[in-house]
Amino acid sequence: MAKGPNAENTLESSLDRNTPRFRANRDALLALLDTLRSTEGTLRQGGGAKAAEAQHAKGRLTVRERLDLLLDADTEFLELGLWAAHGMYGEYGGAPGAGVVTGLGRVCGRLCMIIANDATVKAGAFFPMTAKKVLRAQNIALENRIPTLYLVDSAGVFLPLQEDVFPDTDDFGRVFRNNAVMSSLGIPQITAIIGMCVAGGAYLPVMTDTVLMTEGSGLFLAGPSLVQAAIGQKTEAEELGGATMHAEISGTVDFKEPDDQHCIARMRSLVDKLGSRIVASPTGTTFSRTEFDAKRDAPRYPADDLYSLLNPAPGSSNLYDMHDVIARIVDRSEFDEYKEDFGRTVLCGYARIGGYAVGIVANQKTNQMQTVAMGPSAGAKRIEVGGVIYTEGAQKAARFIMDCNQNLVPLIFLHDVNGFMVGKDAEWSGIIRAGAKMVSAVSTSVVPKIAAILGGSFGAGHYAMCGKAYDPRFLFAWPTARYAVMSGASAANTLAEVRARQMERGGKVLTDEERKALHDEIRASYDEQADPRYGAARLWIDAIIDPAKTRDVLIAALDACALNPVVPHFNPGVLQT
């Protein structure tokens, strides 16, 4: 990509959205976005209109109405885990959003993590994915030291699935452990009980710093029916665990409020008075951030150009210049590329996003001409396939990641990776050793890491690009993402052949039509599982994002990361050299 005439680090883009291919990509992606937005609108309705009416009949607001009151007007709420449990628990009527809303929003100007039960979904009961979603939100708050606000309105564990909610290290009980750990680290936590809070869930509010409760709500380890069954004692819910009892007798509640509106107003008032911990940096953060002006420092190219780059159809061969993406998400489209002539299928370089200094590691999706460094073909020229990590690219990325850790620069990973190169040349060049070096650097990295899957993220390439197992602070995906051990086409070819041989060993001889039907069936199933909606339902992905909003989402994530100024000592351990 040619550089600008006046600034050596200003990217010039040659993307033409009017070419037939880019127009077709844009039309297909916008149609997919419409489908996603329609489904997301349904998910935000939770249990639906009838359940919302039942909530109103109790004198309570729905979870979205509560958030409208809690969050600052004219600010964006970065919702996380909206797709959680999508397509799951059908035998129980489903659990939209896993019955809880989580995300980052501003309250009196303060960035907060919000965890709010949706009582229109099975009375806010905890399904397995509900616990997982709450834990993910708490872990983000823990890593980034984000004040956390809980709006509790839950019937507790969903009993038909208790074995998958109750006992393990990443189940329901971990929520209360996290409450205690967050408190010990000085992360503010405020809870509003604005409905039911029963059984084990009763510990959550009491383990946070401040507890508010509305009249008509209930807080008890066992409700009236269970108390009568257990010890034969008859008592009314209000006497057993109502707001007046806890405010006047048990002393558990710090603030008793008449209704949702007053309770949320009180919560906002309390957040407004939270202090901030002093950090030893003139900018208020460990990480470099310059004075930022949204208009002056905007990229030179429109964000909606990003709709044109990828064909969202499964199995599409998408070749494009990743510089075109970077030019539309970084400040002023300025990018200091690191070792740009070496290992060209992996791009590395420094930029600013929202004023924050970042290091970017991205997969280049155009084919590149490269001189072979090692192996049987050393010295020869070869075409390197876009989206594949070769030995040189892995070595470059490992060194760059270590440099960013040395210099306290947060890392952004932009995925569109097929995996590592295979074959004799690759093995002779030490691809396993180089790949291990890159994976090790990602694993031991201590600066904040944020990942976004734009296209494919397959196999060990997913790991090397800071996949979910490598502790990214946030992991986002475009609707065009594909997330699996290999592509649907490759998996179908392999699995169909294995299945056919098994059937033939059993005495059945398959016709060509039967082989094709078997292949198509396997591919359809695999493509469905590689779809970002499938991953987001299982919380492998924090959010499916509009490509045109990638920059805004990254700025919000960086704002969150900057709240934690503590960066451990970087010790990369033993590296294969």
Side-chain angles (χ1 to χ4, degrees), residues 385-518:
V385 179
V388 175
I389 301 176
Y390 292 77
T391 298
E392 296 85 354
Q395 292 173 334
K396 174 173 77 172
R399 174 57 190 269
F400 179 73
I401 290 165
M402 290 189 285
D403 284 355
C404 287
N405 277 270
Q406 181 75 6
N407 298 316
L408 296 178
V409 179
L411 284 158
I412 307 291
F413 292 84
L414 302 177
H415 295 222
D416 197 343
V417 58
N418 297 335
F420 286 91
M421 190 57 189
V422 297
K424 188 165 74 171
D425 277 344
E427 298 295 354
W428 282 34
S429 72
I431 186 65
I432 298 174
R433 186 176 70 249
K437 187 185 300 184
M438 183 177 176
V439 170
S440 180
V442 171
S443 302
T444 58
S445 177
V446 293
V447 295
K449 297 171 291 189
I450 301 168
I453 303 174
L454 314 187
S457 190
F458 298 121
H462 173 74
Y463 302 153
M465 292 295 294
C466 194
K468 188 64 183 292
Y470 292 80
D471 299 324
R473 299 281 183 96
F474 298 91
L475 196 156
F476 304 109
W478 283 8
T480 47
R482 291 291 178 269
Y483 187 175
V485 70
M486 65 178 73
S487 69
S490 298
N493 290 336
T494 303
L495 294 174
E497 184 61 29
V498 170
R499 186 90 59 84
R501 288 179 182 177
Q502 289 173 339
M503 295 170 74
E504 288 170 352
R505 282 197 296 269
K508 179 174 175 57
V509 178
L510 297 178
T511 66
D512 289 343
E513 290 78 10
E514 288 172 330
R515 280 180 173 271
K516 183 179 185 304
L518 180 61

Side-chain angles (χ1 to χ4, degrees), residues 90-375:
E91 64 273 35
Y92 301 107
V100 64
V101 178
T102 63
L104 295 172
R106 294 201 175 269
V107 179
C108 297
R110 189 75 174 262
L111 186 65
C112 296
M113 175 62 75
I114 313 297
I115 300 174
N117 298 117
D118 185 350
T120 69
V121 178
K122 300 295 188 295
F126 271 67
F127 286 76
M129 290 306 301
T130 314
K132 189 172 183 180
K133 182 171 175 177
V134 171
L135 290 172
R136 176 59 179 156
Q138 285 186 319
N139 287 336
I140 290 172
L142 267 166
E143 283 188 304
N144 301 294
R145 305 298 191 265
I146 307 171
T148 303
L149 310 180
Y150 303 88
L151 303 182
V152 176
D153 191 350
S154 171
V157 170
F158 185 68
L159 293 178
L161 295 174
Q162 67 84 26
E163 65 178 287
D164 297 317
V165 182
F166 173 72
D168 213 341
T169 53
D170 58 351
D171 286 342
F172 190 50
R174 188 77 171 184
V175 173
F176 318 132
R177 175 263 184 195
N178 285 351
N179 290 140
V181 172
M182 291 167 72
S183 183
S184 74
L185 293 172
I187 302 170
Q189 297 175 90
I190 302 174
T191 300
I193 303 168
I194 42 184
M196 289 297 104
C197 184
V198 300
Y203 286 110
L204 185 153
V206 184
M207 296 190 73
T208 62
D209 304 334
T210 307
V211 183
L212 299 79
M213 188 171 181
T214 59
E215 295 175 4
S217 295
L219 172 65
F220 25 67
L221 290 178
S225 298
L226 185 55
V227 168
Q228 184 174 355
I231 64 174
Q233 184 181 77
K234 292 185 178 182
T235 181
E236 296 295 325
E238 180 63 30
E239 181 184 12
L240 181 64
T244 299
M245 190 284 291
H246 281 303
E248 297 181 5
I249 300 174
S250 76
T252 302
V253 169
D254 302 312
F255 296 90
K256 183 183 75 169
E257 304 296 340
D259 52 36
D260 287 21
Q261 291 86 342
H262 285 84
C263 188
I264 291 171
R266 179 80 70 182
M267 178 177 269
R268 284 182 52 84
S269 181
L270 295 172
V271 172
D272 184 50
K273 297 170 179 64
L274 292 175
S276 297
R277 297 184 180 276
I278 298 173
V279 293
S281 167
T283 60
T285 176
T286 303
F287 312 112
S288 171
R289 190 184 194 190
T290 58
E291 184 179 341
F292 172 70
D293 180 271
K295 186 174 182 180
R296 180 195 65 203
D297 298 318
R300 298 174 62 203
Y301 308 101
D304 64 2
D305 284 350
L306 297 176
Y307 295 142
S308 303
L309 288 178
L310 283 83
N311 181 345
S316 298
S317 177
N318 285 305
L319 293 179
Y320 60 93
D321 192 339
M322 186 61 80
H323 291 96
D324 286 328
V325 176
I326 296 171
R328 286 160 178 81
I329 63 174
V330 302
D331 294 357
R332 300 176 300 279
S333 301
E334 294 175 358
F335 181 59
D336 297 302
E337 188 163 351
Y338 177 86
K339 295 183 186 288
E340 67 176 306
D341 297 319
F342 182 72
R344 294 178 180 178
T345 62
V346 179
L347 298 182
C348 300
Y350 299 98
R352 289 190 182 274
I353 299 178
Y356 290 105
V358 297
I360 295 174
V361 180
N363 305 112
Q364 176 58 295
K365 287 294 292 182
T366 56
N367 297 330
Q368 300 290 312
M369 182 66 72
Q370 189 78 43
T371 301
V372 180
M374 295 171 282

